[in-house]
């Protein structure tokens, strides 16, 4: 069931839309781009790194302390090296102080954002001492112990502590500078072999490992952020209906939530129609895309309609390029929408780039279409309930309550403009009871349906026609003088000449008509309808197929009607 289009044009793109588009671009960029993220994305990644580092520190501090004691205790207990004191002060004591400080740091409340700096300082202090100790002690046993401590610290800095690559590298280079400065101050002979063995080689290994680990972490961070934005978008789609005042605004709000958060030129829900082949129900159009408030210019291209038809027939997503002449969009994606009542709709998405090949994106669009389908199904059900509440189920005409409501609206217009003439026609089929009793209720229903179709064919589209119940019909005609009203009545009488065929029986049906004109003295719609009803019964009493106009003085008076009477 297609409805009039309702398009929303936001004044500016939302922050969420820019965020989702940026994350999508970064996810599909080359690897070096991961290490050059925009400022706000980099800050978000840094916060996530600090959270991970903080969790690692809290869960691993006791393990690090135990490992430290297992390495230091045997040497301190069983080694009788003359340089044990020097080794202790430079390669043992700084690490112990750092571990004690880190333990105290985990015992107090602190902000996770400072963990990365604290760990970098810890690496700098520990590595400075062990490097200087390895250079100072030279080729001795304790010198090699201090050197391997340096290797261990470098590996931990790049792979275990969960800090960023640049922070670990800065801490290690700062430690090297400090160690070399201490060597220069204490006049120790520079041993470049030890530096390359205990620092340069593990640093290169750590850089490779850290690069792989951080690039994977950055990609996972972007992917999780993109998925969170998609989840938020789906939630926005599900909640969009609560903000709309009517069905069309509900659907437009859902499409606005989708369109604003994706890198699209436009998005629309379309349903099968007669002319054109597809009719737009609702849509969103980016502000800079050519088009009016109803439809973008690229909607009129036949390629769009072919994609919609293909998606509906195959029941799968179909994407394709648009002609070069299509302004503002180069590609279109058609996503079928399954609705519980069996009706098919299609979600169309227009983009400047071909971004419709990513499997993750297509899975996301399948979820979006499912939500839109459930949303459309609720709208269809609500519209069907509203239609049933206002229309007669047999004839499709307005029912009595809807007729009274619309007559009241017409009377309000008459009060604002007394020159606007409004009349009410009350009609009753004179042979309906005979048909019902002799031919059966099915024949009676056929009679009512045929008579209703003839009424609709002889009146204007904006005239209000209702079945009040049984064989009673009522009409509201606005802006017609009495002469035109009588012409319409005579046109209806002319249809009596054509019998209604029901099986093997042909029935000539006539209707008695009562007419009442709205005046400022009428209290409500029921008063006007009652006068038309009174005129109709006076006409029926006079002769079948007669027409009377209600008159205040005489209650009703007969108007001369041309034609034959039955």
């Amino acid at each position: 069931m297609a409805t009039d289009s309702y398009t929303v044009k936001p004044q500016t793109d939302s922050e969420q839309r820019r965020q989702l588009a940026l994350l999508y671009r970064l996810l599909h960029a080359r690897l070096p781009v991961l290490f050059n993220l925009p400022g706000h994305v980099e800050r978000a990644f840094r916060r996530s790194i600090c959270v991970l580092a903080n969790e690692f520190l809290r869960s691993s501090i006791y393990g690090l302390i135990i490992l430290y004691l297992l390495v230091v205790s045997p040497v301190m207990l069983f080694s009788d090296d003359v340089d044990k004191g020097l080794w202790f002060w430079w390669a043992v004591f700084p690490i112990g102080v750092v571990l004690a400080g880190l333990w105290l740091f985990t015992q107090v409340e602190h902000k996770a954002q400072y963990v990365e700096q604290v760990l970098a300082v810890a690496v700098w202090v520990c590595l400075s001492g062990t490097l200087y100790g390895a250079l100072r002690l030279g080729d001795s046993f304790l010198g090699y112990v201090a050197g391997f401590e340096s290797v261990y610290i470098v590996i931990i800095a790049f792979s275990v502590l969960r800090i960023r690559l640049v922070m670990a590298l800065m801490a290690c280079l700062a430690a090297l500078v400090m160690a070399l400065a201490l060597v220069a101050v204490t006049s120790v002979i520079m041993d470049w072999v030890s530096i390359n063995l205990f620092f340069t080689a593990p640093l290169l290994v750590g850089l490779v490992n850290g690069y792989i680990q951080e690039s994977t972490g950055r990609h996972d961070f972007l992917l999780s952020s993109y998925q969170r934005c998609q989840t938020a978008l789906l939630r926005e789609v599900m909640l969009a209906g609560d903000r709309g005042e009517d069905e069309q605004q509900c659907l437009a709000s859902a499409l606005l939530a989708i369109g604003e958060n994706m890198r699209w030129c436009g998005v629309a829900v379309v349903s099968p129609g007669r002319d054109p082949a597809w009719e737009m129900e609702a849509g969103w159009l980016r502000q800079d895309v050519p088009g009016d408030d109803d439809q973008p210019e690229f909607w009129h291209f036949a390629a769009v309609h072919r994609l919609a038809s293909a998606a509906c027939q195959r029941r799968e997503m179909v994407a394709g390029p648009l002609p070069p002449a299509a302004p503002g969009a180069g590609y279109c994606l058609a996503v079928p929408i399954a609705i519980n009542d069996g009706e098919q709709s299609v979600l169309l998405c227009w983009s400047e780039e071909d971004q419709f090949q990513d499997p993750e994106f297509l899975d996301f669009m399948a979820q979006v279409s499912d939500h839109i389908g459930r949303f459309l199904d609720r709208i269809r059900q609500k519209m069907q309930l509203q239609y049933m509440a206002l229309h007669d189920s047999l004839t499709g005409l307005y029912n009595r309550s809807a007729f009274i409501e619309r007559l009241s609206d017409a009377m309000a217009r008459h009060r604002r403009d007394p020159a606007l003439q409004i009349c009410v026609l009350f009609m009753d089929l004179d042979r309906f009871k005979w048909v019902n009793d002799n031919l059966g209720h099915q024949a009676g229903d056929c009679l009512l349906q045929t008579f209703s179709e003839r009424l609709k064919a002889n009146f204007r589209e904006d005239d209000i026609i209702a079945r009040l119940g049984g064989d009673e019909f009522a009409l509201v005609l606005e802006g017609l003088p009495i002469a035109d009203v009588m012409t319409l009545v005579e046109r209806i009488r002319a249809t009596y000449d054509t019998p209604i065929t029901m099986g093997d029986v042909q029935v000539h049906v006539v209707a008695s008509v009562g007419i009442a004109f709205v005046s400022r003295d009428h209290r409500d719609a029921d008063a006007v309808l009652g006068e038309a009803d009174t005129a109709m019964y006076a006409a029926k009493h006079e002769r079948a197929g007669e027409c009377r106009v209600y008159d205040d003085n005489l209650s009703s008076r007969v108007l001369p009607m041309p034609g034959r009477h039955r």
Side-chain angles (χ1 to χ4, degrees):
M1 181 186 298
T3 57
D4 294 336
S5 60
Y6 190 100
T7 304
V8 178
K9 276 192 176 183
Q11 296 300 317
T12 58
D13 290 340
S14 66
E15 180 64 28
Q16 189 178 10
R17 174 189 180 276
R18 292 194 295 270
Q19 182 78 358
L20 195 60
L22 175 63
L23 291 173
Y24 181 89
R25 187 172 64 253
L26 293 173
L27 275 172
H28 294 81
R30 294 184 177 180
L31 191 60
V33 176
L34 294 175
F35 292 87
N36 188 29
L37 298 176
H40 65 287
V41 180
E42 180 66 33
R43 287 191 294 271
F45 174 72
R46 179 183 172 187
R47 286 193 296 269
S48 69
I49 285 293
C50 288
V51 170
L52 292 175
N54 188 55
E55 292 175 354
F56 166 79
L57 185 59
R58 288 183 179 276
S59 61
S60 305
I61 184 63
Y62 291 104
L64 293 175
I65 293 175
I66 293 174
L67 182 62
Y68 166 75
L69 294 176
L70 290 176
V71 173
V72 172
S73 298
V75 178
M76 294 298 297
L77 292 175
F78 303 109
S79 175
D80 55 357
D81 197 306
V82 294
D83 294 325
K84 185 167 66 173
L86 182 64
W87 172 77
F88 174 80
W89 285 109
W90 287 106
V92 176
F93 180 74
I95 299 177
V97 172
V98 166
L99 289 175
L102 292 177
W103 177 81
L104 289 174
F105 186 73
T106 61
Q107 303 305 306
V108 298
E109 292 293 333
H110 62 273
K111 294 183 178 180
Q113 66 190 62
Y114 300 123
V115 174
E116 191 178 32
Q117 290 90 331
V118 170
L119 291 177
V121 171
V123 170
W124 171 68
V125 172
C126 295
L127 188 58
S128 298
T130 55
L131 272 179
Y132 176 71
L135 294 174
R136 179 75 180 269
L137 296 173
D139 293 333
S140 64
F141 169 73
L142 293 180
Y144 285 110
V145 172
F148 283 112
E149 286 182 84
S150 301
V151 173
Y152 179 70
I153 292 172
V154 171
I155 293 176
I156 287 180
F158 282 99
S159 59
V160 178
L161 293 185
R162 307 290 178 87
I163 60 178
R164 287 177 298 163
L165 179 67
V166 63
M167 294 294 292
L169 180 60
M170 290 174 60
C172 291
L173 293 178
L176 176 63
V177 172
M178 176 61 73
L180 294 179
L182 290 173
V183 167
V185 171
T186 56
S187 301
V188 175
I189 298 175
M190 185 68 66
D191 186 359
W192 292 105
V193 175
S194 297
I195 292 177
N196 291 330
L197 178 64
F198 299 131
F199 179 80
T200 306
L203 181 67
L204 293 176
V205 174
L207 281 173
V208 174
N209 180 74
Y211 180 83
I212 295 174
Q213 180 174 293
E214 184 168 339
S215 61
T216 302
R218 285 174 176 266
H219 183 273
D220 293 342
F221 166 76
L222 292 174
L223 182 60
S224 63
S225 300
Y226 185 73
Q227 291 173 345
R228 283 197 301 272
C229 287
Q230 287 183 333
T231 302
L233 174 57
L234 290 175
R235 190 183 306 114
E236 185 80 6
V237 172
M238 289 187 289
L239 298 177
D242 297 335
R243 297 191 300 271
E245 297 178 359
D246 55 32
E247 289 76 15
Q248 277 299 95
Q249 284 193 346
C250 291
L251 183 57
S253 297
L255 297 184
L256 174 63
I258 298 171
E260 276 196 329
N261 290 279
M262 304 299 292
R263 299 186 302 139
W264 292 342
C265 306
V267 57
V269 171
V270 298
S271 296
R274 291 185 295 272
D275 187 19
W278 291 84
E279 295 179 356
M280 184 180 296
E281 290 198 44
W284 170 87
L285 183 63
R286 204 173 65 194
Q287 189 176 15
D288 59 338
V289 175
D292 53 32
D293 289 338
D294 293 327
Q295 295 175 351
E297 291 185 13
F298 44 73
W299 163 247
H300 300 287
F301 284 87
V304 174
H305 296 261
R306 285 197 297 270
L307 288 173
S309 299
C312 187
Q313 293 172 0
R314 301 179 191 174
R315 298 183 182 273
E316 62 182 11
M317 285 178 272
V318 179
L322 295 180
Y331 297 88
C332 180
L333 172 69
V335 184
I337 301 176
I339 305 176
N340 290 338
D341 60 6
E343 184 178 349
Q344 280 291 319
S345 294
V346 175
L347 177 66
L348 293 176
C349 313
W350 292 276
S351 175
E352 296 170 332
E353 303 173 359
D354 185 8
Q355 54 172 310
F356 303 135
Q357 306 301 323
D358 183 12
E360 294 179 357
F361 173 80
L362 296 179
D363 290 340
F364 169 69
M365 289 307 303
Q367 298 179 57
V368 169
S369 67
D370 288 341
H371 287 298
I372 291 291
R374 287 193 288 269
F375 184 65
L376 286 175
D377 184 58
R378 292 196 300 270
I379 291 178
R380 298 290 196 274
Q381 292 178 0
K382 183 177 180 180
M383 293 175 65
Q384 184 65 25
L385 290 174
Q386 290 178 341
Y387 181 87
M388 294 171 61
L390 298 175
H391 292 79
D392 174 56
S393 59
L394 179 63
T395 63
L397 301 177
Y398 284 119
N399 58 23
R400 186 183 187 90
S401 60
F403 179 80
I404 293 296
E405 180 181 347
R406 279 149 183 77
L407 177 56
S408 299
D409 295 339
M411 293 174 67
R413 291 191 290 272
H414 174 75
R415 293 188 189 98
R416 292 192 297 268
D417 182 13
L420 177 64
Q421 183 154 278
I422 298 174
C423 74
V424 175
L425 275 64
F426 197 107
M427 307 180 68
D428 182 88
L429 300 184
D430 290 318
R431 301 195 64 191
F432 176 72
K433 187 176 185 306
W434 181 90
V435 172
N436 233 12
D437 294 342
N438 293 275
L439 301 180
H441 293 287
Q442 186 174 0
D445 292 344
C446 179
L447 173 64
L448 294 174
Q449 291 171 336
T450 305
F451 184 75
S452 300
E453 292 298 325
R454 292 183 180 181
L455 280 180
K456 289 187 287 186
N458 283 279
F459 286 90
R460 300 170 299 181
E461 291 186 3
D462 54 350
D463 289 332
I464 301 170
I465 309 175
R467 180 192 174 206
L468 303 182
D471 59 349
E472 295 179 339
F473 296 82
L475 298 91
V476 176
L477 306 178
E478 293 188 41
L480 293 180
I482 188 170
D484 292 342
V485 173
M486 303 315 299
T487 300
L488 285 174
V489 173
E490 180 57 26
R491 189 186 302 169
I492 297 174
R493 286 169 56 83
T495 65
Y496 300 164
D497 293 331
T498 303
I500 297 176
T501 301
M502 292 171 289
D504 297 332
V505 180
Q506 289 187 335
V507 179
H508 287 272
V509 177
V510 295
S512 299
V513 182
I515 302 175
F517 288 89
V518 173
S519 68
R520 306 191 69 173
D521 297 332
H522 289 114
R523 300 185 309 276
D524 52 31
D526 286 322
V528 183
L529 188 60
E531 291 181 356
D533 189 16
T534 300
M536 184 275 298
Y537 274 105
K540 182 185 287 285
H541 179 74
E542 179 69 23
R543 187 164 46 196
E546 188 56 74
C547 175
R548 286 178 180 262
V549 177
Y550 186 84
D551 187 281
D552 289 336
N553 297 323
L554 302 177
S555 295
S556 63
R557 61 183 176 85
V558 178
L559 266 70
M561 293 290 298
R564 299 180 300 272
H565 298 283
R566 298 175 179 82

